[in-house]
Each structure stands twice: as C-alpha cells, then as structure tokens.
Amino acid sequence: MKSILLTGGAGFIGSHTCLALLEKGYKVYVIDSFVNSSPKSLESVLKIYEKKYHNANSNLTICEGDLRDKNFVKKVFSNIYNVNKRIDGVIHFAGVKSVLESQKNPLLYWNTNVLGTINLIEIMNSYNCFNFVFSSSATVYAQSNNSLLKEESEIGPINPYGNTKLTVEKLLEDIFKSQENDCKFASLRYFNPIGAHLSGLLGENPVGIPNNIFPLIINTAAGIQKELKIYGNDWPTKDGTCVRDYIHVMDLAEAHIKVLDFLSEEGPTYFNLNVGTGIGTSVLELVKTFERVNNLKIPYVFEGRRMGDAPYVVADNSLSKSKINIRTKRNIEDMCRDGWNWKTLNPNGF
C-alpha cells in the first residue's frame, strides 16, 4: 500500500483529495495546523468512506502542527518512517491563500508559504523522499487580454500571495537543477476550484469572512448576507464582469492523484501544469447559473473594481490533457448544484 503525506489536508482542496486518495487505496498522513480549517472535515471524509465501503478506515493518520515548526515536521517524518518505512509522495496544500489578506499582511504570507515549504523540502530531502506535488496558483501569471493562459505565458504576479507561489516554483526548479538525485517535482497551477462532494457531507467551509466569489454567492443565497457585491462591471470582458475558469473541487482532487501516479513512473523531472477546464465563466454567468440550477434568486450590486483583481484568467489545459490525461468530468451546473447541496445540508458548516 502506497503512503502519501498531505500538508493542509483538512482544507477545502486537501480534504477532497484526502478522500479521493483513501478511495484509491492509499494510506494517507495529514499535517494541518487547523488555523484555516477544521478537523471535522476529516471526520466527514471518514464518514463518507465508511458509508460507501461499509467499514471503518484506519488508513488515515492526522498530525496537528505547523510547517514553520521544523522540529514538528522532523518528528512527523520520523514517526512515519518508524512505522511505515517510507513516504511514496507528498502533496503540499498547506499555506495561507487570501489575495486581499496578502496585500495587508505580506510578511505572514512569505513566512507561512515560503518558510514552511523550505522546512518541508529540507526534511523530505533528508529522508530521500523526492516525489512532490505543489499546490501553486494561476495568480503567478501576468494579466492577459482575454486569451488563454499557457504554462509558458508571461509570468507576473500582482499580489504577495502570487509572489509566494511563484517563489516556491522557482525554489523547486532550482533544487531540481542543482541536485543529482531522483527529484520528481510538479507545480499545479490551479484556477478557481468550487463545488463540493456529491454526498453533501464535505465542502468549502471558510474561516471568517470569505473572500472568494462562490462562498459569497452561497452566503447570499442562504441569507447570511443580504446581497452579493460584484467588483466591477466595466472590465474588458463580454459582460463587464471578471471571467474565471471554475473547476469542480473533485476534478481537481482527482487531478492530483493522476499527477502523483505519473511522477511515480517518471524519471527525475520538474514541470508546471495548469489545472482548469479551459472554459471561461463570468461572475454574472456564474450567478445566473447558480440561480437557474438551484431555483432561487441572488440579489447583487456592483461595486468598484477590487485591488489585485484581473479581468480574464482562464487556463489553456492542453498540456494537462496530453501529458497526464487529465479530463474534467463535472460542469459549471454540477459545481453550483453540489456547492448549494453542501450548504443546505450544513448551514453552519462543519
């Protein structure tokens, strides 16, 4: 049985990936500080697994702590190797991720996202653990003019969050180029993951006030806020609102496993990979689709443009298809339906 370490495994993408790994028969170790997540997400993972497979699952081990604490990370690796003798791969989700917060507190973002990653990779290296999938972001790209973003498109983050993601990508590339070992590194540049698990037992549960559009739509639908603020209706797009590439969180979770399996069969390598659908959906289109699929109304108002936003961020996903055979299965309607189902079944979150 292969063993995988997930950092940030209790978060939105991490918890869905944890479930997908367990269902594929992996032994999963999760590191999470629970600062921006809840241990209840992992309880839901086990509940879904047990309900589907009719047995309690002991292939999940949870380690609470912060990657910035190097002694903690060393202890986790030591304990895993004492029991399991190896880690077959690491998927690194842990970090802070609010564009707005990163502009207000860049030091927190550099400390958490960069220092934490350095600690993790140093200890991986000491255990000859080299299969590594990094949770990067489309925020590493420069702004585009209504054109699809390729992996070789111009790089140019416009906020501290994107800067930290790009810095880790460069770090991984430098390590790969400098060492004569079996480094197998992949940086996955996500676009906009939304939705929830089909069961309605696992979904997005932002801590504090959400910043991303989809939780804000859901909160408006649930009456938690009286109206949705849409930042800008004068962008150079088809309807004046920002266009994004929304991907179902379960498609994204399954993509991680495909990349991990690909790395296990490859020789030493490093690559960046877009993970999106290649389909652009404007904020207004997302709102209208949510209303139609769930048969409700979302009151909204237009506000001025928000600092750090870009008008058009959509993936060219041809490389992920040709290199890894990543094919998204779920459409924007599925994302809206599954996300609302999660909220109606869990009005207060986990």
Side-chain angles (χ1 to χ4, degrees):
M1 179 183 292
K2 288 187 176 180
S3 58
I4 304 299
L5 175 65
L6 297 188
T7 73
F12 177 43
I13 305 169
S15 59
H16 287 78
T17 305
C18 180
L19 175 60
L21 284 164
L22 291 172
E23 290 183 334
K24 289 282 188 180
Y26 287 89
K27 186 173 182 61
V28 181
Y29 296 88
V30 165
I31 288 177
D32 207 298
S33 67
F34 301 115
V35 170
N36 292 314
S37 60
S38 169
K40 291 183 179 179
S41 67
L42 298 174
E43 293 175 15
S44 293
V45 165
L46 291 177
K47 188 182 298 183
I48 295 168
Y49 184 92
E50 290 167 10
K51 184 176 181 180
K52 182 174 181 179
Y53 295 98
H54 308 292
N55 71 303
N57 183 271
S58 60
N59 290 330
L60 175 62
T61 302
I62 302 166
C63 312
E64 182 176 356
D66 195 310
L67 293 179
R68 290 173 294 179
D69 181 350
K70 198 168 183 179
N71 288 330
F72 160 73
V73 183
K74 286 179 181 177
K75 185 176 180 180
V76 169
F77 271 74
S78 175
N79 290 342
I80 293 174
Y81 275 79
N82 284 340
V83 174
N84 202 60
K85 309 304 180 189
R86 71 182 194 278
I87 297 174
D88 295 291
V90 175
I91 303 177
H92 180 34
F93 296 110
V96 280
K97 62 176 185 176
S98 166
V99 167
L100 187 61
E101 184 186 42
S102 77
Q103 292 167 324
K104 295 178 178 177
N105 192 355
L107 189 58
L108 169 67
Y109 275 67
W110 282 88
N111 190 269
T112 304
N113 293 354
V114 178
L115 177 60
T117 304
I118 290 172
N119 287 344
L120 176 63
I121 293 174
E122 283 184 348
I123 293 165
M124 284 176 59
N125 192 55
S126 69
Y127 280 89
N128 295 319
C129 176
F130 299 119
N131 288 8
F132 187 76
V133 179
F134 172 56
S135 168
S136 191
S137 168
T139 57
V140 302
Y141 290 113
Q143 294 192 35
S144 66
N145 295 317
N146 291 7
S147 58
L148 298 180
L149 291 164
K150 299 176 177 286
E151 285 79 1
E152 62 270 20
S153 292
E154 182 184 358
I155 297 299
I158 58 174
N159 53 65
Y161 167 68
N163 286 335
T164 64
K165 291 295 186 181
L166 181 59
T167 297
V168 173
E169 286 191 7
K170 290 181 177 296
L171 170 66
L172 294 175
E173 186 175 10
D174 285 346
I175 293 170
F176 170 71
K177 289 178 178 178
S178 70
Q179 295 187 358
E180 294 182 1
N181 56 31
D182 296 325
C183 285
K184 301 176 183 183
F185 293 160
S187 293
L188 305 193
R189 293 172 175 170
Y190 307 162
F191 282 68
N192 290 73
I194 62 174
H197 189 263
L198 184 63
S199 67
L201 296 175
L202 187 63
E204 188 169 10
N205 187 49
V207 175
I209 300 172
N211 293 297
N212 297 333
I213 184 66
F214 197 68
L216 292 171
I217 290 174
I218 286 178
N219 282 355
T220 307
I224 296 171
Q225 57 187 53
K226 69 175 185 176
E227 59 193 12
L228 173 71
K229 292 180 180 179
I230 298 177
Y231 295 100
N233 61 349
D234 59 347
W235 294 96
T237 61
K238 49 192 170 184
D239 61 19
T241 64
C242 291
V243 172
R244 295 291 183 266
D245 185 338
Y246 297 99
I247 181 171
H248 198 291
V249 65
M250 285 307 301
D251 280 330
L252 182 55
E254 290 161 6
H256 283 82
I257 300 175
K258 283 203 165 189
V259 172
L260 204 59
D261 290 345
F262 177 84
L263 290 179
S264 69
E265 302 297 325
E266 282 288 291
T269 187
Y270 174 78
F271 58 86
N272 302 310
L273 194 72
N274 288 339
V275 185
T277 65
I279 299 170
T281 302
S282 75
V283 171
L284 273 181
E285 287 174 330
L286 179 62
V287 169
K288 297 303 179 185
T289 301
F290 191 94
E291 289 181 327
R292 174 173 53 81
V293 166
N294 297 307
N295 193 29
L296 44 75
K297 296 297 290 183
I298 304 291
Y300 61 84
V301 295
F302 292 110
E303 299 267 324
R305 295 183 184 185
R306 186 171 55 179
M307 183 175 64
D309 273 344
Y312 188 89
V313 184
V314 181
D316 180 325
N317 61 353
S318 55
L319 182 62
S320 68
K321 289 179 178 178
S322 61
K323 189 180 184 74
I324 316 287
N325 193 30
I326 293 173
R327 311 276 171 169
T328 55
K329 305 172 187 174
R330 302 156 181 94
N331 60 27
I332 196 75
E333 287 83 5
D334 297 323
M335 301 177 213
C336 290
R337 186 179 301 108
D338 293 343
W340 182 237
N341 184 42
W342 149 254
K343 185 63 176 180
T344 55
L345 292 176
N346 305 271
N348 299 314
F350 291 114

